[in-house]
Amino acid sequence: MVKTYLRYEAHSTFGVIASPTGNAVFDHSGRLSITPALESVIVWDIKKGTQVARWSDRDNTAEVTCIARSPNGKDYAVGYTDGSIRLFDLTNNAVNVVLNGHRGGISALQFDSSGTVLASGARDTDIVLWDVVGEVGLYRLRGHKDEITGIAFLASAQSADTALNASASGHIVTSSKDTLVKLWDLRAQHCVQTLVTHRSEVWALAVSPDRRLLVTGTSDADLHVWTIDTEKLEATAADSTAEQNWDAIREYGTVRRAGSSRVVTVAFHGTGKYVVCLGADRTAEIFRVRTHAEIKKKLERRQRRNREKNKKGSDDEAVAGAVEITAADELVSFKLIRTSAKAASVDFDPSETDSAALARRGSLRVLIGQNNNTIHVWTVPVPPEGKTTKQANLPEPSLQSCVEMPGHRSEPRALALSSDSELVASAADGSLRIWNARTGACVRTLECGTALCVAFLPGDQTVVVGTKRGTLQVFDIPAATCVETLDAHGGAACWAIDVHPDKKSIITGGADKTVKFWDLQLVRDADAGRRRLTLEHTRTLQMADEVLALRVSADGRLLAVALLDCTVKVFYADTLKFFLSLYGHKLPVVSLDIASDSTLLVTASADKSVKLWGLDFGDCHRSLLAHQEPVTAVRFVWGTHYFFSAGKDRCVIQWDGDKFQRIQKLHGFHGDVWALAVAHYGNFVVASGQDRSIRVWDKTEEPLFLEEERERELDELLDRGLEEAADTPNDVDEAQRAGKATAETLMAGERIAEALDLADGERRKLAEHAEQMRRMPHLNPPLPDPNPILAFEKLSPEAYVLRTVERVRAADLDDALLVLSFSRVLSLLEYIDVWARREWNTPLTCRILFFLLKSHQNQIVATRSMRSKLASIRHALRAGLASQRDQIGYNLAALASLKADWEANATAEFFDDEAIQKILDSQVKKRKFVGLKA
C-alpha cells in the first residue's frame, strides 16, 4: 500500500516592513505608503504604523524590485526579479494585469502623463513600452549594453487620447549602467541622441515637470544637469522632415553634492522647485531650484564683483558677456537629511504638486525606505513665497513618523515556540520580538544583545536569550523588561540553549568549551511586587572543543552535544557519564535533535548532509544529501520520525526518518534560512531567514503522494527548460516585438491547438453529413453525434474556438499564437473568416488576424489557396468595421449632445452690469460742443 502524507501549505509571512531590493512610494493622498515586502507589496498607514492591505499573487514567487505610481490615482505597477510586471488596484487590492516581456529583473518603471502607457527597463538591457488599457506590449527598444537604471517620458504638448497615440508620439530618456543616457523617438522607435559625457555608471535620472531640466546621478560626487530643448523636440515630432534633434539635450553643468558616495536615486518635486538626491552614505540632500529673479540677482552680484576685480582694463560689456548661467547657479543645496541606516529609496508627497498646497503646508514630506527594514517620513520646512532661505530662518528637517515596530532591524538568527505553540520568539542582533503565531502580530519588542539562541522557560512568561558575548539575558514578557543578565560563558559565544524535559532546569553550551546546567528558581521581585524565575548555576561539563549545539532526550536520559571537531558526544544526563561518540560529518554539526521516543538522533552539518543515528548503539542509519548548500537547522515532529531541515539554499524540506525519503519542499525565502521551529504534533512550521521574514506553513488535510510530488518537480524543471529554449533573444533590430515565452503562453497555445483540432473534426463530420444529404436526400441520414464537450457547452465549433481564444490573457495571446504550427494557422484563418462575417468580437478578430499576417507573411503569400480566403476576410472585416465605426460615431455624437444639454441646464451665467455699462460707454462717441463766431 502506498504511504500517504499530509501536505504543508504557506499560511502567513510577517516581520518584513520594506525589503531593500525595491522602492517605497506614497499613494496619491500622501497618507499611505506602498512598500515592497519580498514577493508581496504592503500598504502601510504611515501615521498609525499599521498594515492596511497586502498585495500578492499566488502564482508569483519572485521578489519585488520596482514600484511605479500611475497618474490615475489607483493603479500601481510592480516589477519583479523574474521580469514580470503586475498592475494592482489600490481600491480593491487585486491584480488587474500581468505583463511578461523581460528576461531579467525589472529595474525601472515609469507611466506617461495619461497613465495609459507604461515604460519598463530591466537587467536584460531592454526597454519595453506597454499598453496598459489593452494589456499588451507595444514594442521593445534595444541599444543599451547594461542594466537600465532610469526612464522618463518627454511627452508632446498635445495630449494623446489613446495609448496607441501616446506611444507613437513624444520621446523618452533612459539611463543605464553602461554610462550612457539615450533619447528615444517613440514615433520612429529609434535612438536619436546619446549622451556620452559620463565616466561611470549612471545610477539615477530625473526630468523636471516642465521638461526643461534633466538631472543624472553617477558614482562621482557631482550631479550632472542638462537642458532639454522642448521646441526642437516639438518641431521634430510635428514634422518628420524637420531638422534632426540629435542635440535636443545639451549639457548645463554639474552641481556638487554633500556626500561622495554613489547616487541611489534622484527625484523632482511635483512643483519643480526642489530636487532630492539620495546617496549611499545615509544622506538625502535636497536642492532648491532658484527662480528667474533670484538667478538674475545672483548674476548682477557676480558682474559687480567682476567689475571690481577688473578695474584696470576690461570694459563692462566684456565682463558682463563673460558671465554665463550654470547649473550651480540654478540648483543650490537646501537641506540635508541624515538617516539612521543606508537608504534604498526616496519619494515626495504627490499631494503637494500644487504650489498653493505646498505654501499652505509650509513643508515638504519625504518618504525614505531604509535597508534596515524601516520606512521614515521626514518633514522639511520650506520658505514662504517671497522670502529666501536666510530670511525665513528655517529649522532642520525632522522625523515626522516611521514604521519600524513590526520587524527586526537585522536578520533573526534564532526562533522558539511557547509550550502551547501560540507565541513565537524571534531574536536578532539588538532586538527580541514576541509574535502571535497565528495572526503575525508583534506582541512585545525588547532590546537585547547579539542573540544566537532563544528559549521559552516553563510557564511561557519568561524568555532566555544567549548572546554572542556569552551572557544569558532573562526577559519578563508581561512586564516587557530584562530582569536579569548572567555571564554564562566568560565572554565566549553562547551557541545553544535547551530546556530540560522535567521543566526544572536549562542547559547551555558555548564557545568556552563548556556545557553548563542551570536550575530554575522562583524569587521575589521587589520592584514588580511578584515572583519571577531566575537561573542558578549548578554543574559544568568540560568539553574538548567549542560547543555548537546540544539537545536533551524527551525521557531526560541522554544529552547530545555537537562540537567544533565535527563529532557529536552523547552523555548520560544525570551522571554526565560518556556514552557514545558519533563521527562521520566532514564539517561541524550546527544543529541536532532527538525524536520524542528517544531512539533516533538527527544531525545537520555544514557539509550539506543530514545523518540519522540510533541512540541504542550509535550506528548511522542513513546519510542524506539534504540541501544544495550548508544545512542550518533540523527539528523532529513530536510523536513521529518525520523531521524538517533548513539550509542556505532558501528552502525547508520535510523528511521521513523511517523510510529515508524526502516528502516535500517548502519554498518562499529569498535568502539563507537560519532558524526553524515545529509546533507540537507538527500542526505548523515556523522558519526565519536572511531576508528578515518569518514564515509559517500549516499542515492541511490534503494528501500527498511521493510519486506525484516527484513528477510535479520534474514538470517544473521541464517547463523552465522549455521557457529558456523558446525565449531566445534576437540582437539584430533596435526595435522589436514586446513579449516573452513562458509556461503560461505555451499552455495557452496548446489549448488553442486542441480547440482547433476538436472544432476541425466536428466541422468535417458536419460537412460529410451535408454531402450525404446532397447525394442521397431521400434517405435523410441523421445528424452525427456532436462532440461531448461541444454538446455540454452548447456551442458551435466556431464559437468554441473563439471562446478558447478569449480565455487567453491579452498579454499572452501573441506568444500563444506563435506556438501554433502553420497548418493550424491556416485552420485558424478559416474561423477568422466566419467570425468576421458574423461580427463576433471584431477587435479580437482584427488583432489575431494582423498578428498572424505579420508573423507568417512569407508562408501565407506563397500559399495560393489563401488568396480567396483573405479576400473574403477583407470584405467581411471592412463591412463590420464600417458598421462599428458608424455606431461609435453615433454614440459619440449622442454623448456630446447630452453633455451640451447638461452644461446648458447646470451652468448659470453671471453678468456684471457695471462692467458691461462701462464698456458700452467707452464705445459711444461723446458729443463735443463747439462755439461758432459770426
Side-chain angles (χ1 to χ4, degrees), residues 126-167:
D126 294 346
I127 301 111
V128 178
L129 270 77
W130 306 89
D131 181 358
V132 176
V133 180
E135 303 179 9
V136 295
L138 298 172
Y139 47 85
R140 183 190 307 269
L141 301 175
R142 285 182 172 173
H144 285 289
K145 301 300 181 184
D146 208 336
E147 176 183 341
I148 308 298
T149 57
I151 299 176
F153 275 91
L154 300 178
S156 60
Q158 299 177 356
S159 59
D161 52 353
T162 64
L164 183 62
N165 294 336
S167 62

Tab-separated table of all heavy atoms in Angstrom, residues 126-167:
chain	number	residue	atom	x	y	z
A	126	ASP	N	16.878	45.878	-21.991
A	126	ASP	CA	15.802	46.254	-22.912
A	126	ASP	C	14.852	47.242	-22.267
A	126	ASP	O	14.674	47.258	-21.045
A	126	ASP	CB	15.012	45.018	-23.365
A	126	ASP	CG	15.851	44.079	-24.206
A	126	ASP	OD1	16.937	44.500	-24.648
A	126	ASP	OD2	15.426	42.928	-24.414
A	127	ILE	N	14.223	48.066	-23.115
A	127	ILE	CA	13.123	48.941	-22.706
A	127	ILE	C	11.886	48.480	-23.462
A	127	ILE	O	11.920	48.332	-24.691
A	127	ILE	CB	13.409	50.421	-23.013
A	127	ILE	CG1	14.685	50.885	-22.301
A	127	ILE	CG2	12.245	51.291	-22.592
A	127	ILE	CD1	15.819	51.174	-23.227
A	128	VAL	N	10.802	48.234	-22.733
A	128	VAL	CA	9.555	47.767	-23.335
A	128	VAL	C	8.461	48.770	-23.004
A	128	VAL	O	8.341	49.210	-21.857
A	128	VAL	CB	9.168	46.368	-22.823
A	128	VAL	CG1	7.839	45.933	-23.428
A	128	VAL	CG2	10.256	45.357	-23.162
A	129	LEU	N	7.673	49.144	-23.998
A	129	LEU	CA	6.520	50.010	-23.807
A	129	LEU	C	5.250	49.168	-23.871
A	129	LEU	O	5.079	48.359	-24.793
A	129	LEU	CB	6.470	51.113	-24.857
A	129	LEU	CG	7.221	52.399	-24.457
A	129	LEU	CD1	8.723	52.209	-24.629
A	129	LEU	CD2	6.756	53.595	-25.237
A	130	TRP	N	4.390	49.370	-22.863
A	130	TRP	CA	3.188	48.556	-22.701
A	130	TRP	C	1.943	49.419	-22.815
A	130	TRP	O	1.922	50.561	-22.330
A	130	TRP	CB	3.188	47.883	-21.321
A	130	TRP	CG	4.407	47.085	-21.005
A	130	TRP	CD1	5.553	47.533	-20.410
A	130	TRP	CD2	4.614	45.697	-21.287
A	130	TRP	NE1	6.454	46.514	-20.287
A	130	TRP	CE2	5.906	45.367	-20.812
A	130	TRP	CE3	3.831	44.706	-21.868
A	130	TRP	CZ2	6.435	44.093	-20.915
A	130	TRP	CZ3	4.354	43.428	-21.976
A	130	TRP	CH2	5.638	43.125	-21.506
A	131	ASP	N	0.928	48.859	-23.432
A	131	ASP	CA	-0.399	49.466	-23.470
A	131	ASP	C	-1.160	48.942	-22.254
A	131	ASP	O	-1.547	47.769	-22.210
A	131	ASP	CB	-1.114	49.090	-24.766
A	131	ASP	CG	-2.498	49.722	-24.873
A	131	ASP	OD1	-2.912	50.415	-23.921
A	131	ASP	OD2	-3.168	49.508	-25.895
A	132	VAL	N	-1.351	49.797	-21.261
A	132	VAL	CA	-1.972	49.369	-20.014
A	132	VAL	C	-3.441	49.025	-20.229
A	132	VAL	O	-3.962	48.068	-19.641
A	132	VAL	CB	-1.808	50.464	-18.944
A	132	VAL	CG1	-2.523	50.082	-17.663
A	132	VAL	CG2	-0.341	50.707	-18.667
A	133	VAL	N	-4.121	49.787	-21.066
A	133	VAL	CA	-5.540	49.540	-21.306
A	133	VAL	C	-5.732	48.256	-22.103
A	133	VAL	O	-6.577	47.417	-21.772
A	133	VAL	CB	-6.181	50.741	-22.025
A	133	VAL	CG1	-7.652	50.492	-22.289
A	133	VAL	CG2	-6.006	52.010	-21.192
A	134	GLY	N	-4.955	48.084	-23.159
A	134	GLY	CA	-5.069	46.889	-23.976
A	134	GLY	C	-4.367	45.680	-23.398
A	134	GLY	O	-4.514	44.570	-23.926
A	135	GLU	N	-3.559	45.872	-22.339
A	135	GLU	CA	-2.856	44.801	-21.638
A	135	GLU	C	-1.903	44.059	-22.565
A	135	GLU	O	-1.746	42.841	-22.487
A	135	GLU	CB	-3.847	43.814	-21.007
A	135	GLU	CG	-4.835	44.459	-20.053
A	135	GLU	CD	-5.812	43.449	-19.473
A	135	GLU	OE1	-5.597	42.248	-19.684
A	135	GLU	OE2	-6.773	43.862	-18.815
A	136	VAL	N	-1.255	44.784	-23.463
A	136	VAL	CA	-0.330	44.158	-24.412
A	136	VAL	C	0.943	44.998	-24.482
A	136	VAL	O	0.959	46.183	-24.139
A	136	VAL	CB	-0.949	44.029	-25.823
A	136	VAL	CG1	-2.117	43.089	-25.815
A	136	VAL	CG2	-1.351	45.395	-26.362
A	137	GLY	N	2.011	44.342	-24.943
A	137	GLY	CA	3.244	45.055	-25.201
A	137	GLY	C	3.228	45.694	-26.574
A	137	GLY	O	2.790	45.081	-27.560
A	138	LEU	N	3.693	46.922	-26.658
A	138	LEU	CA	3.681	47.640	-27.929
A	138	LEU	C	4.939	47.342	-28.737
A	138	LEU	O	4.869	46.900	-29.874
A	138	LEU	CB	3.544	49.140	-27.671
A	138	LEU	CG	2.244	49.559	-26.966
A	138	LEU	CD1	2.288	51.028	-26.585
A	138	LEU	CD2	1.044	49.275	-27.863
A	139	TYR	N	6.106	47.595	-28.152
A	139	TYR	CA	7.363	47.290	-28.839
A	139	TYR	C	8.493	47.325	-27.817
A	139	TYR	O	8.333	47.786	-26.685
A	139	TYR	CB	7.643	48.261	-29.993
A	139	TYR	CG	7.458	49.720	-29.653
A	139	TYR	CD1	8.473	50.453	-29.055
A	139	TYR	CD2	6.265	50.364	-29.941
A	139	TYR	CE1	8.294	51.793	-28.745
A	139	TYR	CE2	6.075	51.700	-29.643
A	139	TYR	CZ	7.099	52.405	-29.033
A	139	TYR	OH	6.925	53.725	-28.713
A	140	ARG	N	9.637	46.821	-28.262
A	140	ARG	CA	10.834	46.726	-27.430
A	140	ARG	C	11.943	47.566	-28.048
A	140	ARG	O	12.145	47.531	-29.278
A	140	ARG	CB	11.257	45.258	-27.332
A	140	ARG	CG	12.461	44.985	-26.436
A	140	ARG	CD	12.930	43.547	-26.630
A	140	ARG	NE	11.850	42.613	-26.446
A	140	ARG	CZ	11.550	42.055	-25.283
A	140	ARG	NH1	12.263	42.340	-24.212
A	140	ARG	NH2	10.541	41.204	-25.194
A	141	LEU	N	12.659	48.314	-27.213
A	141	LEU	CA	13.762	49.156	-27.666
A	141	LEU	C	15.075	48.596	-27.125
A	141	LEU	O	15.192	48.325	-25.929
A	141	LEU	CB	13.582	50.601	-27.194
A	141	LEU	CG	12.303	51.305	-27.642
A	141	LEU	CD1	12.198	52.673	-27.000
A	141	LEU	CD2	12.243	51.422	-29.160
A	142	ARG	N	16.039	48.437	-28.020
A	142	ARG	CA	17.344	47.896	-27.646
A	142	ARG	C	18.452	48.836	-28.090
A	142	ARG	O	18.377	49.406	-29.163
A	142	ARG	CB	17.556	46.514	-28.260
A	142	ARG	CG	16.765	45.422	-27.561
A	142	ARG	CD	17.047	44.077	-28.159
A	142	ARG	NE	16.439	43.028	-27.362
A	142	ARG	CZ	16.403	41.762	-27.694
A	142	ARG	NH1	16.963	41.377	-28.823
A	142	ARG	NH2	15.829	40.867	-26.916
A	143	GLY	N	19.446	48.976	-27.259
A	143	GLY	CA	20.567	49.853	-27.565
A	143	GLY	C	21.545	49.949	-26.424
A	143	GLY	O	22.743	50.143	-26.636
A	144	HIS	N	21.051	49.808	-25.194
A	144	HIS	CA	21.942	49.831	-24.034
A	144	HIS	C	22.656	48.499	-23.901
A	144	HIS	O	22.174	47.452	-24.357
A	144	HIS	CB	21.148	50.130	-22.760
A	144	HIS	CG	20.731	51.574	-22.636
A	144	HIS	ND1	21.621	52.581	-22.373
A	144	HIS	CD2	19.512	52.164	-22.749
A	144	HIS	CE1	20.966	53.737	-22.312
A	144	HIS	NE2	19.688	53.515	-22.549
A	145	LYS	N	23.793	48.537	-23.209
A	145	LYS	CA	24.619	47.342	-23.035
A	145	LYS	C	24.658	46.867	-21.584
A	145	LYS	O	25.393	45.919	-21.288
A	145	LYS	CB	26.053	47.618	-23.515
A	145	LYS	CG	26.141	48.044	-24.974
A	145	LYS	CD	25.573	46.982	-25.908
A	145	LYS	CE	25.684	47.414	-27.364
A	145	LYS	NZ	25.056	46.431	-28.287
A	146	ASP	N	23.908	47.503	-20.719
A	146	ASP	CA	23.896	47.100	-19.313
A	146	ASP	C	22.530	47.433	-18.720
A	146	ASP	O	21.637	47.912	-19.428
A	146	ASP	CB	25.018	47.803	-18.533
A	146	ASP	CG	25.492	46.981	-17.337
A	146	ASP	OD1	24.692	46.154	-16.848
A	146	ASP	OD2	26.635	47.167	-16.884
A	147	GLU	N	22.388	47.188	-17.441
A	147	GLU	CA	21.096	47.345	-16.769
A	147	GLU	C	20.537	48.760	-16.907
A	147	GLU	O	21.268	49.748	-16.754
A	147	GLU	CB	21.264	46.991	-15.284
A	147	GLU	CG	20.024	47.209	-14.446
A	147	GLU	CD	20.276	46.921	-12.981
A	147	GLU	OE1	21.264	46.234	-12.676
A	147	GLU	OE2	19.478	47.390	-12.142
A	148	ILE	N	19.237	48.849	-17.172
A	148	ILE	CA	18.547	50.145	-17.248
A	148	ILE	C	18.309	50.645	-15.825
A	148	ILE	O	17.795	49.919	-14.969
A	148	ILE	CB	17.212	50.015	-17.996
A	148	ILE	CG1	17.418	49.332	-19.354
A	148	ILE	CG2	16.548	51.370	-18.164
A	148	ILE	CD1	18.306	50.078	-20.294
A	149	THR	N	18.666	51.885	-15.557
A	149	THR	CA	18.525	52.438	-14.204
A	149	THR	C	17.477	53.533	-14.102
A	149	THR	O	17.044	53.852	-12.984
A	149	THR	CB	19.873	53.000	-13.726
A	149	THR	OG1	20.333	53.990	-14.665
A	149	THR	CG2	20.906	51.886	-13.616
A	150	GLY	N	17.062	54.134	-15.196
A	150	GLY	CA	16.076	55.207	-15.116
A	150	GLY	C	15.371	55.427	-16.437
A	150	GLY	O	15.958	55.246	-17.513
A	151	ILE	N	14.082	55.802	-16.354
A	151	ILE	CA	13.262	56.096	-17.541
A	151	ILE	C	12.442	57.340	-17.234
A	151	ILE	O	11.894	57.475	-16.130
A	151	ILE	CB	12.331	54.925	-17.896
A	151	ILE	CG1	13.132	53.662	-18.223
A	151	ILE	CG2	11.435	55.273	-19.073
A	151	ILE	CD1	12.271	52.449	-18.484
A	152	ALA	N	12.330	58.228	-18.190
A	152	ALA	CA	11.496	59.417	-18.044
A	152	ALA	C	10.857	59.735	-19.383
A	152	ALA	O	11.513	59.663	-20.433
A	152	ALA	CB	12.316	60.609	-17.542
A	153	PHE	N	9.574	60.081	-19.350
A	153	PHE	CA	8.827	60.449	-20.559
A	153	PHE	C	9.001	61.940	-20.829
A	153	PHE	O	8.981	62.766	-19.907
A	153	PHE	CB	7.341	60.133	-20.389
A	153	PHE	CG	6.963	58.721	-20.727
A	153	PHE	CD1	6.965	57.741	-19.754
A	153	PHE	CD2	6.617	58.370	-22.023
A	153	PHE	CE1	6.616	56.443	-20.058
A	153	PHE	CE2	6.266	57.068	-22.338
A	153	PHE	CZ	6.264	56.101	-21.351
A	154	LEU	N	9.154	62.256	-22.103
A	154	LEU	CA	9.108	63.650	-22.571
A	154	LEU	C	7.925	63.745	-23.521
A	154	LEU	O	8.075	63.707	-24.745
A	154	LEU	CB	10.415	64.042	-23.271
A	154	LEU	CG	11.691	63.963	-22.445
A	154	LEU	CD1	12.895	64.337	-23.289
A	154	LEU	CD2	11.599	64.892	-21.235
A	155	ALA	N	6.735	63.815	-22.938
A	155	ALA	CA	5.520	63.774	-23.741
A	155	ALA	C	5.392	65.044	-24.567
A	155	ALA	O	5.882	66.112	-24.197
A	155	ALA	CB	4.299	63.601	-22.841
A	156	SER	N	4.708	64.928	-25.681
A	156	SER	CA	4.465	66.088	-26.532
A	156	SER	C	3.436	66.996	-25.893
A	156	SER	O	2.689	66.606	-24.994
A	156	SER	CB	3.981	65.633	-27.916
A	156	SER	OG	2.775	64.889	-27.788
A	157	ALA	N	3.390	68.224	-26.355
A	157	ALA	CA	2.462	69.199	-25.775
A	157	ALA	C	1.020	68.826	-26.042
A	157	ALA	O	0.123	69.095	-25.242
A	157	ALA	CB	2.754	70.596	-26.332
A	158	GLN	N	0.756	68.173	-27.172
A	158	GLN	CA	-0.602	67.745	-27.492
A	158	GLN	C	-0.895	66.449	-26.751
A	158	GLN	O	-0.192	65.461	-26.890
A	158	GLN	CB	-0.745	67.517	-28.993
A	158	GLN	CG	-0.492	68.765	-29.823
A	158	GLN	CD	-0.567	68.460	-31.299
A	158	GLN	OE1	-0.728	67.320	-31.694
A	158	GLN	NE2	-0.454	69.506	-32.105
A	159	SER	N	-1.914	66.472	-25.922
A	159	SER	CA	-2.251	65.300	-25.116
A	159	SER	C	-2.795	64.201	-26.013
A	159	SER	O	-3.615	64.432	-26.885
A	159	SER	CB	-3.288	65.656	-24.046
A	159	SER	OG	-4.463	66.147	-24.669
A	160	ALA	N	-2.323	62.965	-25.767
A	160	ALA	CA	-2.769	61.815	-26.551
A	160	ALA	C	-4.057	61.272	-25.980
A	160	ALA	O	-4.216	61.136	-24.782
A	160	ALA	CB	-1.682	60.736	-26.551
A	161	ASP	N	-5.000	60.951	-26.890
A	161	ASP	CA	-6.288	60.466	-26.421
A	161	ASP	C	-6.311	58.955	-26.241
A	161	ASP	O	-7.157	58.426	-25.541
A	161	ASP	CB	-7.399	60.883	-27.401
A	161	ASP	CG	-7.049	60.488	-28.828
A	161	ASP	OD1	-5.911	60.031	-29.045
A	161	ASP	OD2	-7.922	60.631	-29.703
A	162	THR	N	-5.405	58.233	-26.862
A	162	THR	CA	-5.361	56.783	-26.720
A	162	THR	C	-3.933	56.351	-26.434
A	162	THR	O	-2.976	57.112	-26.626
A	162	THR	CB	-5.858	56.085	-27.999
A	162	THR	OG1	-4.964	56.406	-29.077
A	162	THR	CG2	-7.260	56.508	-28.343
A	163	ALA	N	-3.815	55.097	-25.982
A	163	ALA	CA	-2.487	54.563	-25.696
A	163	ALA	C	-1.667	54.424	-26.979
A	163	ALA	O	-0.454	54.615	-26.973
A	163	ALA	CB	-2.618	53.209	-25.000
A	164	LEU	N	-2.335	54.106	-28.083
A	164	LEU	CA	-1.608	53.970	-29.339
A	164	LEU	C	-1.005	55.297	-29.760
A	164	LEU	O	0.149	55.378	-30.177
A	164	LEU	CB	-2.551	53.425	-30.418
A	164	LEU	CG	-1.924	53.158	-31.781
A	164	LEU	CD1	-0.834	52.103	-31.655
A	164	LEU	CD2	-2.984	52.728	-32.786
A	165	ASN	N	-1.774	56.390	-29.626
A	165	ASN	CA	-1.245	57.697	-29.972
A	165	ASN	C	-0.175	58.140	-28.995
A	165	ASN	O	0.794	58.798	-29.365
A	165	ASN	CB	-2.380	58.725	-30.004
A	165	ASN	CG	-3.379	58.446	-31.114
A	165	ASN	OD1	-3.049	57.809	-32.108
A	165	ASN	ND2	-4.614	58.897	-30.931
A	166	ALA	N	-0.335	57.791	-27.705
A	166	ALA	CA	0.658	58.179	-26.700
A	166	ALA	C	1.986	57.490	-26.943
A	166	ALA	O	3.048	58.073	-26.717
A	166	ALA	CB	0.138	57.850	-25.298
A	167	SER	N	1.942	56.230	-27.388
A	167	SER	CA	3.186	55.503	-27.623
A	167	SER	C	3.809	55.829	-28.972
A	167	SER	O	4.943	55.451	-29.227
A	167	SER	CB	2.914	53.993	-27.545
A	167	SER	OG	2.006	53.614	-28.564
